[in-house]
Amino acid sequence: MQTVNTLGTLREAVESLRATGPVALVPTMGALHQGHLTLVREARARGAQVVASIFVNPRQFGPNEDLDAYPRRMAEDSRLLSEEGVAVLWAPDVAEMYPQGFSTNISVTGVSDNFCGASRPGHFDGVATVVCKLFNQVRPDLALFGEKDWQQLAVIRRMARDLDLSYPHVDAIYGVPTVREADGLAMSSRNQYLSAEERQAAATLPTAMRAALAAIAGGTPVADALASLRASLLAAGFSSIDYADLADAASLEPIAAPGAVPARLLVAARLGSTRLIDNMPLG
Ligand code: AMP
């Protein structure tokens, strides 16, 4: 695996990779776990050479969020990616990604309006801007993202469609199902912020979400199922709930009753100072 920190060396590395076949991009913020590594495996299973990026993107963190505390483990991450057969690790610093005078912002409206877009103002602008840059830097044939961040995936697909991106084309942006711990908790770099007690309580999130989905599928009104879900989370020790809603899986518009369109249950809730998100399909 070749690790590159400047755009010039990235371009050279990707150029020689491209000569050998399709190139896949797996963007990450590091502190890697099996969820990230599954994206790499999925890319390789699609016959691509993998460029993985590690960049803790300041533009997607709010002023009172965990940018400084966000775990950074470059040596360990580099070993894990190398073992997975990643060809190039793209690890720019902030000045390489956002040189002096950087002034452009990509803002995707609609799909980013609710949920994390509402509770983390500016977050998806930061995501769309950095992902668009990563796409242009690497010009991958395909890119892989986790369904763990369902709204993020929708924002990126919308951007790729709206800006007529070719590298990658919107149809070559793949979502990979959420990888979970044995007790159902979605893997996340932020799980390591949890104390032992909080980690135990965290497992209530997927359990309560599954119960709510089963209730809705069984005919319980959505509002009642969501009220029980919220009550279960608060009873388990969650301190607050940013949102817990059923939404149209594609438009991310909240829906009050299941209907013809695929629906997704989306939740963000806080355990102490740690914010956890999860989402699951209805049916
Ligand atoms: P992050 O490092 O949190 O920005 O995540 C990098 C990529 O890994 C994103 O596309 C995430 O959606 C994806 N990802 C994070 N956690 C998981 C998980 N538990 N299962 C699958 N993909 C994940």
PDB file of all heavy atoms in Angstrom, residues 234-269:
ATOM      1  N   LEU A 234     -35.178   6.736  26.626  1.00  0.00           N
ATOM      2  CA  LEU A 234     -34.994   7.574  27.821  1.00  0.00           C
ATOM      3  C   LEU A 234     -34.910   6.691  29.073  1.00  0.00           C
ATOM      4  O   LEU A 234     -34.080   6.929  29.952  1.00  0.00           O
ATOM      5  CB  LEU A 234     -36.119   8.613  27.926  1.00  0.00           C
ATOM      6  CG  LEU A 234     -36.125   9.644  26.777  1.00  0.00           C
ATOM      7  CD1 LEU A 234     -37.351  10.547  26.847  1.00  0.00           C
ATOM      8  CD2 LEU A 234     -34.841  10.487  26.771  1.00  0.00           C
ATOM      9  N   ALA A 235     -35.742   5.622  29.113  1.00  0.00           N
ATOM     10  CA  ALA A 235     -35.716   4.703  30.267  1.00  0.00           C
ATOM     11  C   ALA A 235     -34.376   3.989  30.359  1.00  0.00           C
ATOM     12  O   ALA A 235     -33.896   3.671  31.450  1.00  0.00           O
ATOM     13  CB  ALA A 235     -36.856   3.695  30.157  1.00  0.00           C
ATOM     14  N   ALA A 236     -33.740   3.741  29.213  1.00  0.00           N
ATOM     15  CA  ALA A 236     -32.456   3.011  29.210  1.00  0.00           C
ATOM     16  C   ALA A 236     -31.290   3.916  29.587  1.00  0.00           C
ATOM     17  O   ALA A 236     -30.168   3.432  29.744  1.00  0.00           O
ATOM     18  CB  ALA A 236     -32.223   2.406  27.832  1.00  0.00           C
ATOM     19  N   GLY A 237     -31.537   5.232  29.663  1.00  0.00           N
ATOM     20  CA  GLY A 237     -30.456   6.122  30.087  1.00  0.00           C
ATOM     21  C   GLY A 237     -30.007   7.117  29.034  1.00  0.00           C
ATOM     22  O   GLY A 237     -29.090   7.915  29.275  1.00  0.00           O
ATOM     23  N   PHE A 238     -30.634   7.074  27.847  1.00  0.00           N
ATOM     24  CA  PHE A 238     -30.301   8.109  26.850  1.00  0.00           C
ATOM     25  C   PHE A 238     -30.727   9.459  27.411  1.00  0.00           C
ATOM     26  O   PHE A 238     -31.778   9.580  28.035  1.00  0.00           O
ATOM     27  CB  PHE A 238     -31.011   7.823  25.515  1.00  0.00           C
ATOM     28  CG  PHE A 238     -30.312   6.784  24.675  1.00  0.00           C
ATOM     29  CD1 PHE A 238     -30.474   5.431  24.950  1.00  0.00           C
ATOM     30  CD2 PHE A 238     -29.488   7.153  23.621  1.00  0.00           C
ATOM     31  CE1 PHE A 238     -29.814   4.468  24.191  1.00  0.00           C
ATOM     32  CE2 PHE A 238     -28.825   6.198  22.865  1.00  0.00           C
ATOM     33  CZ  PHE A 238     -28.988   4.857  23.143  1.00  0.00           C
ATOM     34  N   SER A 239     -29.882  10.480  27.197  1.00  0.00           N
ATOM     35  CA  SER A 239     -30.168  11.776  27.812  1.00  0.00           C
ATOM     36  C   SER A 239     -31.104  12.618  26.963  1.00  0.00           C
ATOM     37  O   SER A 239     -31.907  13.389  27.496  1.00  0.00           O
ATOM     38  CB  SER A 239     -28.860  12.526  28.070  1.00  0.00           C
ATOM     39  OG  SER A 239     -27.977  12.356  26.993  1.00  0.00           O
ATOM     40  N   SER A 240     -31.004  12.494  25.641  1.00  0.00           N
ATOM     41  CA  SER A 240     -31.923  13.242  24.778  1.00  0.00           C
ATOM     42  C   SER A 240     -31.997  12.563  23.414  1.00  0.00           C
ATOM     43  O   SER A 240     -31.124  11.763  23.063  1.00  0.00           O
ATOM     44  CB  SER A 240     -31.469  14.692  24.621  1.00  0.00           C
ATOM     45  OG  SER A 240     -30.206  14.723  23.992  1.00  0.00           O
ATOM     46  N   ILE A 241     -33.043  12.918  22.694  1.00  0.00           N
ATOM     47  CA  ILE A 241     -33.260  12.319  21.376  1.00  0.00           C
ATOM     48  C   ILE A 241     -33.345  13.454  20.364  1.00  0.00           C
ATOM     49  O   ILE A 241     -34.219  14.320  20.461  1.00  0.00           O
ATOM     50  CB  ILE A 241     -34.565  11.485  21.383  1.00  0.00           C
ATOM     51  CG1 ILE A 241     -34.434  10.351  22.414  1.00  0.00           C
ATOM     52  CG2 ILE A 241     -34.874  10.917  19.999  1.00  0.00           C
ATOM     53  CD1 ILE A 241     -35.733   9.708  22.828  1.00  0.00           C
ATOM     54  N   ASP A 242     -32.409  13.473  19.415  1.00  0.00           N
ATOM     55  CA  ASP A 242     -32.436  14.532  18.387  1.00  0.00           C
ATOM     56  C   ASP A 242     -33.617  14.318  17.446  1.00  0.00           C
ATOM     57  O   ASP A 242     -34.310  15.261  17.075  1.00  0.00           O
ATOM     58  CB  ASP A 242     -31.137  14.556  17.579  1.00  0.00           C
ATOM     59  CG  ASP A 242     -29.990  15.219  18.342  1.00  0.00           C
ATOM     60  OD1 ASP A 242     -30.200  15.624  19.500  1.00  0.00           O
ATOM     61  OD2 ASP A 242     -28.879  15.320  17.773  1.00  0.00           O
ATOM     62  N   TYR A 243     -33.796  13.061  17.045  1.00  0.00           N
ATOM     63  CA  TYR A 243     -34.961  12.722  16.220  1.00  0.00           C
ATOM     64  C   TYR A 243     -35.182  11.212  16.257  1.00  0.00           C
ATOM     65  O   TYR A 243     -34.243  10.447  16.511  1.00  0.00           O
ATOM     66  CB  TYR A 243     -34.817  13.205  14.766  1.00  0.00           C
ATOM     67  CG  TYR A 243     -33.597  12.675  14.047  1.00  0.00           C
ATOM     68  CD1 TYR A 243     -33.560  11.405  13.485  1.00  0.00           C
ATOM     69  CD2 TYR A 243     -32.455  13.462  13.921  1.00  0.00           C
ATOM     70  CE1 TYR A 243     -32.439  10.923  12.839  1.00  0.00           C
ATOM     71  CE2 TYR A 243     -31.318  12.989  13.274  1.00  0.00           C
ATOM     72  CZ  TYR A 243     -31.318  11.720  12.740  1.00  0.00           C
ATOM     73  OH  TYR A 243     -30.199  11.238  12.098  1.00  0.00           O
ATOM     74  N   ALA A 244     -36.417  10.820  16.056  1.00  0.00           N
ATOM     75  CA  ALA A 244     -36.776   9.399  15.922  1.00  0.00           C
ATOM     76  C   ALA A 244     -38.000   9.418  15.026  1.00  0.00           C
ATOM     77  O   ALA A 244     -39.102   9.743  15.475  1.00  0.00           O
ATOM     78  CB  ALA A 244     -37.100   8.788  17.280  1.00  0.00           C
ATOM     79  N   ASP A 245     -37.810   9.162  13.754  1.00  0.00           N
ATOM     80  CA  ASP A 245     -38.880   9.351  12.785  1.00  0.00           C
ATOM     81  C   ASP A 245     -38.878   8.280  11.711  1.00  0.00           C
ATOM     82  O   ASP A 245     -37.817   7.737  11.371  1.00  0.00           O
ATOM     83  CB  ASP A 245     -38.722  10.710  12.080  1.00  0.00           C
ATOM     84  CG  ASP A 245     -39.251  11.852  12.913  1.00  0.00           C
ATOM     85  OD1 ASP A 245     -40.445  11.824  13.257  1.00  0.00           O
ATOM     86  OD2 ASP A 245     -38.459  12.757  13.234  1.00  0.00           O
ATOM     87  N   LEU A 246     -40.053   8.065  11.158  1.00  0.00           N
ATOM     88  CA  LEU A 246     -40.155   7.243   9.957  1.00  0.00           C
ATOM     89  C   LEU A 246     -40.109   8.198   8.771  1.00  0.00           C
ATOM     90  O   LEU A 246     -40.738   9.269   8.799  1.00  0.00           O
ATOM     91  CB  LEU A 246     -41.492   6.472   9.973  1.00  0.00           C
ATOM     92  CG  LEU A 246     -41.612   5.331   8.977  1.00  0.00           C
ATOM     93  CD1 LEU A 246     -40.651   4.182   9.339  1.00  0.00           C
ATOM     94  CD2 LEU A 246     -43.044   4.795   8.923  1.00  0.00           C
ATOM     95  N   ALA A 247     -39.340   7.837   7.733  1.00  0.00           N
ATOM     96  CA  ALA A 247     -39.198   8.741   6.589  1.00  0.00           C
ATOM     97  C   ALA A 247     -39.226   7.961   5.287  1.00  0.00           C
ATOM     98  O   ALA A 247     -38.911   6.764   5.254  1.00  0.00           O
ATOM     99  CB  ALA A 247     -37.884   9.507   6.680  1.00  0.00           C
ATOM    100  N   ASP A 248     -39.611   8.674   4.241  1.00  0.00           N
ATOM    101  CA  ASP A 248     -39.457   8.143   2.884  1.00  0.00           C
ATOM    102  C   ASP A 248     -37.957   7.887   2.687  1.00  0.00           C
ATOM    103  O   ASP A 248     -37.137   8.790   2.855  1.00  0.00           O
ATOM    104  CB  ASP A 248     -39.971   9.209   1.895  1.00  0.00           C
ATOM    105  CG  ASP A 248     -39.851   8.775   0.443  1.00  0.00           C
ATOM    106  OD1 ASP A 248     -38.824   8.163   0.084  1.00  0.00           O
ATOM    107  OD2 ASP A 248     -40.784   9.073  -0.325  1.00  0.00           O
ATOM    108  N   ALA A 249     -37.613   6.628   2.343  1.00  0.00           N
ATOM    109  CA  ALA A 249     -36.200   6.233   2.297  1.00  0.00           C
ATOM    110  C   ALA A 249     -35.415   7.020   1.249  1.00  0.00           C
ATOM    111  O   ALA A 249     -34.199   7.177   1.383  1.00  0.00           O
ATOM    112  CB  ALA A 249     -36.097   4.741   2.019  1.00  0.00           C
ATOM    113  N   ALA A 250     -36.083   7.513   0.215  1.00  0.00           N
ATOM    114  CA  ALA A 250     -35.374   8.220  -0.856  1.00  0.00           C
ATOM    115  C   ALA A 250     -35.380   9.734  -0.660  1.00  0.00           C
ATOM    116  O   ALA A 250     -34.337  10.382  -0.762  1.00  0.00           O
ATOM    117  CB  ALA A 250     -35.994   7.870  -2.202  1.00  0.00           C
ATOM    118  N   SER A 251     -36.544  10.310  -0.348  1.00  0.00           N
ATOM    119  CA  SER A 251     -36.629  11.778  -0.250  1.00  0.00           C
ATOM    120  C   SER A 251     -36.282  12.281   1.143  1.00  0.00           C
ATOM    121  O   SER A 251     -36.045  13.473   1.330  1.00  0.00           O
ATOM    122  CB  SER A 251     -38.047  12.252  -0.595  1.00  0.00           C
ATOM    123  OG  SER A 251     -38.932  11.894   0.460  1.00  0.00           O
ATOM    124  N   LEU A 252     -36.267  11.379   2.128  1.00  0.00           N
ATOM    125  CA  LEU A 252     -36.012  11.732   3.524  1.00  0.00           C
ATOM    126  C   LEU A 252     -37.071  12.691   4.085  1.00  0.00           C
ATOM    127  O   LEU A 252     -36.810  13.425   5.044  1.00  0.00           O
ATOM    128  CB  LEU A 252     -34.601  12.314   3.708  1.00  0.00           C
ATOM    129  CG  LEU A 252     -33.408  11.358   3.883  1.00  0.00           C
ATOM    130  CD1 LEU A 252     -33.523  10.502   5.126  1.00  0.00           C
ATOM    131  CD2 LEU A 252     -33.218  10.439   2.693  1.00  0.00           C
ATOM    132  N   GLU A 253     -38.278  12.635   3.508  1.00  0.00           N
ATOM    133  CA  GLU A 253     -39.415  13.378   4.063  1.00  0.00           C
ATOM    134  C   GLU A 253     -40.054  12.504   5.136  1.00  0.00           C
ATOM    135  O   GLU A 253     -40.297  11.312   4.889  1.00  0.00           O
ATOM    136  CB  GLU A 253     -40.474  13.630   2.973  1.00  0.00           C
ATOM    137  CG  GLU A 253     -40.146  14.737   2.007  1.00  0.00           C
ATOM    138  CD  GLU A 253     -40.185  16.102   2.677  1.00  0.00           C
ATOM    139  OE1 GLU A 253     -41.037  16.308   3.565  1.00  0.00           O
ATOM    140  OE2 GLU A 253     -39.331  16.935   2.333  1.00  0.00           O
ATOM    141  N   PRO A 254     -40.352  13.054   6.324  1.00  0.00           N
ATOM    142  CA  PRO A 254     -41.029  12.248   7.347  1.00  0.00           C
ATOM    143  C   PRO A 254     -42.370  11.731   6.832  1.00  0.00           C
ATOM    144  O   PRO A 254     -43.039  12.426   6.070  1.00  0.00           O
ATOM    145  CB  PRO A 254     -41.251  13.240   8.502  1.00  0.00           C
ATOM    146  CG  PRO A 254     -40.270  14.332   8.261  1.00  0.00           C
ATOM    147  CD  PRO A 254     -40.088  14.420   6.767  1.00  0.00           C
ATOM    148  N   ILE A 255     -42.752  10.519   7.234  1.00  0.00           N
ATOM    149  CA  ILE A 255     -44.067  10.010   6.834  1.00  0.00           C
ATOM    150  C   ILE A 255     -44.835   9.553   8.079  1.00  0.00           C
ATOM    151  O   ILE A 255     -44.260   8.997   9.006  1.00  0.00           O
ATOM    152  CB  ILE A 255     -43.988   8.883   5.775  1.00  0.00           C
ATOM    153  CG1 ILE A 255     -43.036   7.761   6.178  1.00  0.00           C
ATOM    154  CG2 ILE A 255     -43.573   9.416   4.428  1.00  0.00           C
ATOM    155  CD1 ILE A 255     -42.920   6.672   5.126  1.00  0.00           C
ATOM    156  N   ALA A 256     -46.132   9.842   8.060  1.00  0.00           N
ATOM    157  CA  ALA A 256     -46.958   9.599   9.243  1.00  0.00           C
ATOM    158  C   ALA A 256     -47.547   8.203   9.265  1.00  0.00           C
ATOM    159  O   ALA A 256     -47.968   7.715  10.316  1.00  0.00           O
ATOM    160  CB  ALA A 256     -48.074  10.644   9.292  1.00  0.00           C
ATOM    161  N   ALA A 257     -47.593   7.538   8.101  1.00  0.00           N
ATOM    162  CA  ALA A 257     -48.158   6.188   8.037  1.00  0.00           C
ATOM    163  C   ALA A 257     -47.463   5.429   6.915  1.00  0.00           C
ATOM    164  O   ALA A 257     -47.128   6.021   5.890  1.00  0.00           O
ATOM    165  CB  ALA A 257     -49.657   6.273   7.767  1.00  0.00           C
ATOM    166  N   PRO A 258     -47.222   4.130   7.113  1.00  0.00           N
ATOM    167  CA  PRO A 258     -46.564   3.377   6.044  1.00  0.00           C
ATOM    168  C   PRO A 258     -47.454   3.343   4.813  1.00  0.00           C
ATOM    169  O   PRO A 258     -48.675   3.287   4.929  1.00  0.00           O
ATOM    170  CB  PRO A 258     -46.382   1.980   6.651  1.00  0.00           C
ATOM    171  CG  PRO A 258     -47.240   1.917   7.858  1.00  0.00           C
ATOM    172  CD  PRO A 258     -47.563   3.311   8.284  1.00  0.00           C
ATOM    173  N   GLY A 259     -46.826   3.408   3.641  1.00  0.00           N
ATOM    174  CA  GLY A 259     -47.607   3.393   2.400  1.00  0.00           C
ATOM    175  C   GLY A 259     -46.856   2.629   1.344  1.00  0.00           C
ATOM    176  O   GLY A 259     -46.160   1.656   1.642  1.00  0.00           O
ATOM    177  N   ALA A 260     -46.947   3.126   0.109  1.00  0.00           N
ATOM    178  CA  ALA A 260     -46.362   2.398  -1.015  1.00  0.00           C
ATOM    179  C   ALA A 260     -44.844   2.564  -1.090  1.00  0.00           C
ATOM    180  O   ALA A 260     -44.142   1.666  -1.535  1.00  0.00           O
ATOM    181  CB  ALA A 260     -47.007   2.877  -2.308  1.00  0.00           C
ATOM    182  N   VAL A 261     -44.348   3.723  -0.654  1.00  0.00           N
ATOM    183  CA  VAL A 261     -42.905   3.972  -0.837  1.00  0.00           C
ATOM    184  C   VAL A 261     -42.081   3.286   0.251  1.00  0.00           C
ATOM    185  O   VAL A 261     -42.544   3.144   1.391  1.00  0.00           O
ATOM    186  CB  VAL A 261     -42.574   5.493  -0.811  1.00  0.00           C
ATOM    187  CG1 VAL A 261     -43.244   6.214  -1.964  1.00  0.00           C
ATOM    188  CG2 VAL A 261     -42.930   6.126   0.528  1.00  0.00           C
ATOM    189  N   PRO A 262     -40.849   2.843  -0.068  1.00  0.00           N
ATOM    190  CA  PRO A 262     -39.995   2.273   0.972  1.00  0.00           C
ATOM    191  C   PRO A 262     -39.768   3.282   2.092  1.00  0.00           C
ATOM    192  O   PRO A 262     -39.533   4.468   1.829  1.00  0.00           O
ATOM    193  CB  PRO A 262     -38.677   1.985   0.235  1.00  0.00           C
ATOM    194  CG  PRO A 262     -39.046   1.913  -1.215  1.00  0.00           C
ATOM    195  CD  PRO A 262     -40.212   2.843  -1.393  1.00  0.00           C
ATOM    196  N   ALA A 263     -39.883   2.809   3.323  1.00  0.00           N
ATOM    197  CA  ALA A 263     -39.745   3.709   4.471  1.00  0.00           C
ATOM    198  C   ALA A 263     -38.561   3.265   5.321  1.00  0.00           C
ATOM    199  O   ALA A 263     -38.162   2.095   5.316  1.00  0.00           O
ATOM    200  CB  ALA A 263     -41.018   3.695   5.300  1.00  0.00           C
ATOM    201  N   ARG A 264     -38.024   4.209   6.052  1.00  0.00           N
ATOM    202  CA  ARG A 264     -36.837   3.946   6.867  1.00  0.00           C
ATOM    203  C   ARG A 264     -37.050   4.616   8.218  1.00  0.00           C
ATOM    204  O   ARG A 264     -37.522   5.761   8.272  1.00  0.00           O
ATOM    205  CB  ARG A 264     -35.641   4.573   6.145  1.00  0.00           C
ATOM    206  CG  ARG A 264     -34.315   4.005   6.519  1.00  0.00           C
ATOM    207  CD  ARG A 264     -33.688   3.214   5.369  1.00  0.00           C
ATOM    208  NE  ARG A 264     -32.534   2.510   5.912  1.00  0.00           N
ATOM    209  CZ  ARG A 264     -32.040   1.382   5.458  1.00  0.00           C
ATOM    210  NH1 ARG A 264     -32.562   0.796   4.410  1.00  0.00           N
ATOM    211  NH2 ARG A 264     -31.010   0.802   6.044  1.00  0.00           N
ATOM    212  N   LEU A 265     -36.704   3.915   9.267  1.00  0.00           N
ATOM    213  CA  LEU A 265     -36.742   4.503  10.609  1.00  0.00           C
ATOM    214  C   LEU A 265     -35.362   5.090  10.886  1.00  0.00           C
ATOM    215  O   LEU A 265     -34.349   4.397  10.753  1.00  0.00           O
ATOM    216  CB  LEU A 265     -37.073   3.409  11.629  1.00  0.00           C
ATOM    217  CG  LEU A 265     -37.074   3.816  13.098  1.00  0.00           C
ATOM    218  CD1 LEU A 265     -38.104   4.909  13.383  1.00  0.00           C
ATOM    219  CD2 LEU A 265     -37.359   2.594  13.991  1.00  0.00           C
ATOM    220  N   LEU A 266     -35.330   6.358  11.240  1.00  0.00           N
ATOM    221  CA  LEU A 266     -34.054   7.058  11.478  1.00  0.00           C
ATOM    222  C   LEU A 266     -34.041   7.618  12.893  1.00  0.00           C
ATOM    223  O   LEU A 266     -35.014   8.263  13.309  1.00  0.00           O
ATOM    224  CB  LEU A 266     -33.891   8.211  10.487  1.00  0.00           C
ATOM    225  CG  LEU A 266     -33.873   7.815   9.010  1.00  0.00           C
ATOM    226  CD1 LEU A 266     -34.667   8.792   8.174  1.00  0.00           C
ATOM    227  CD2 LEU A 266     -32.461   7.724   8.491  1.00  0.00           C
ATOM    228  N   VAL A 267     -32.964   7.363  13.612  1.00  0.00           N
ATOM    229  CA  VAL A 267     -32.869   7.850  14.992  1.00  0.00           C
ATOM    230  C   VAL A 267     -31.489   8.454  15.250  1.00  0.00           C
ATOM    231  O   VAL A 267     -30.471   7.931  14.774  1.00  0.00           O
ATOM    232  CB  VAL A 267     -33.100   6.710  16.013  1.00  0.00           C
ATOM    233  CG1 VAL A 267     -33.014   7.229  17.448  1.00  0.00           C
ATOM    234  CG2 VAL A 267     -34.448   6.029  15.790  1.00  0.00           C
ATOM    235  N   ALA A 268     -31.461   9.566  15.985  1.00  0.00           N
ATOM    236  CA  ALA A 268     -30.216  10.090  16.560  1.00  0.00           C
ATOM    237  C   ALA A 268     -30.521  10.386  18.017  1.00  0.00           C
ATOM    238  O   ALA A 268     -31.525  11.045  18.328  1.00  0.00           O
ATOM    239  CB  ALA A 268     -29.766  11.365  15.858  1.00  0.00           C
ATOM    240  N   ALA A 269     -29.695   9.858  18.916  1.00  0.00           N
ATOM    241  CA  ALA A 269     -29.954  10.068  20.346  1.00  0.00           C
ATOM    242  C   ALA A 269     -28.628  10.169  21.078  1.00  0.00           C
ATOM    243  O   ALA A 269     -27.605   9.674  20.592  1.00  0.00           O
ATOM    244  CB  ALA A 269     -30.792   8.907  20.886  1.00  0.00           C
TER     245      ALA A 269
END
